[in-house]
Amino acid sequence: MSFVFDGHSDMWCNITMRRLAGERNVFKKYHLPHLQEGNVGALIAAVWIEMQYTDDPTARMLEILGAAAAELRENEDVLSLVLSGNDVERIRAVGKTAILFGMEGLSGLKGRAIFLEALYRMGVRHCMLTWNEENEFAVGVGDELGVTGLKQAGVEAVKLMEELGMIVDVSHASEKTFWDIEKIATKPLMASHSNAYAVCPAKRNLKDEQIKAVAASKGIIGMNAWPTFVSESKQPTVEDLADHVDYIAGLVGIDCVACGFDFCDYLEGRIPFFASAAGSFTKGLFHAGEVPNFFDVLRKRGYSQEDLDKIAYKNAIRYLRQVL
């Protein structure tokens, strides 16, 4: 296996908080060692706005974008930005970590889709319209009624993202928003960090018809190690996450399965949401360094080396070439 492409990382939040506290070279100190240990050579690093803890999402978005840009500049010897479909393998060939800049929610844009042009010029190649909240673009999975989905500003945003060559990510979309996006999308969909609802009935997981729709679009679904999306057990394990691979591959085939681990070990105690979840993690998949455990389990279950390579990076690379 050449390397692993992780479809979802929140590391920019950690880097921003540490940089604001005066630290520098945060990536090398706190993230690179685990990524190297786990052979994670490429990832989507998303700007996540912790909506319940900020009254100014626009300022927070710019703060994280600024910290990310500074970190990239200071670590250009080990990091490089993914801007096109062929960049990941080119970056990996020179031994650097490939970073695809993403947005986990667009509440900071206040419904102004045109600002996506500026984000694209800044290197952003991936967006979710919303995190769990409702905003001017769409409704997230926090919606209980399921009446409203994609709004007019969201329609404009999806069309502009596809025109620019940006990934439209449906992982945090409500079920209504998901189907509204699916109706107008002309390119493959990504659910960067979602599992199978039939295996674990969490709202963030995808139901069978959603999985089939992503697969039919030639898209991908990244397996998420966050415990409440893996199993209803108090202590999920890496074996439980492998059950999601079995289910999705059995339903639509292996070409839809990818990685999107959503590791949050480095956020414990720094954001209230994660502080309250301290001690809760998927056994065997607590941080990026433990990613080989996941592939060891799949190998023992009879997945071929080609299957493992597809899950690790080949499906993601194929997807990026189709969309970016």
Side-chain angles (χ1 to χ4, degrees), residues 77-144:
D77 57 324
V78 294
L79 282 177
S80 193
L81 203 58
V82 175
L83 299 176
S84 68
N86 295 318
D87 282 353
V88 171
E89 290 180 303
R90 176 184 60 78
I91 293 167
R92 289 301 303 147
V94 295
K96 296 184 181 182
T97 301
I99 300 290
L100 196 152
F101 222 160
M103 300 293 296
E104 190 170 14
L106 293 177
S107 288
L109 299 190
K110 302 293 186 181
R112 291 165 289 195
I114 192 62
F115 284 174
L116 287 164
E117 294 269 9
L119 292 179
Y120 183 86
R121 296 299 175 186
M122 294 175 69
V124 175
R125 293 294 184 270
H126 159 280
C127 290
M128 294 171 233
L129 296 178
T130 175
W131 183 55
N132 293 336
E133 77 281 0
E134 177 178 357
N135 61 23
E136 294 88 349
F137 294 105
V139 174
V141 293
D143 175 48
E144 298 293 337

Side-chain angles (χ1 to χ4, degrees), residues 275-288:
S276 65
S280 177
F281 62 94
T282 296
K283 188 176 180 180
L285 274 176
F286 181 49
H287 56 67

Side-chain angles (χ1 to χ4, degrees), residues 6 8 14 55 102 109 112 144 153 155 166 172-173 178 202 218 224 232 234 243 251 253-254 289 293 298 308 310:
D6 184 356
H8 187 77
N14 176 253
D55 57 2
L109 299 190
R112 291 165 289 195
E144 298 293 337
V155 172
M166 298 173 76
H172 275 276
F178 174 98
K218 306 300 182 183
N224 190 336
E232 293 181 288
K234 290 183 178 180
D243 290 343
L251 186 67
I254 202 71
N293 295 338
L298 295 177
L308 298 178
K310 285 184 175 184

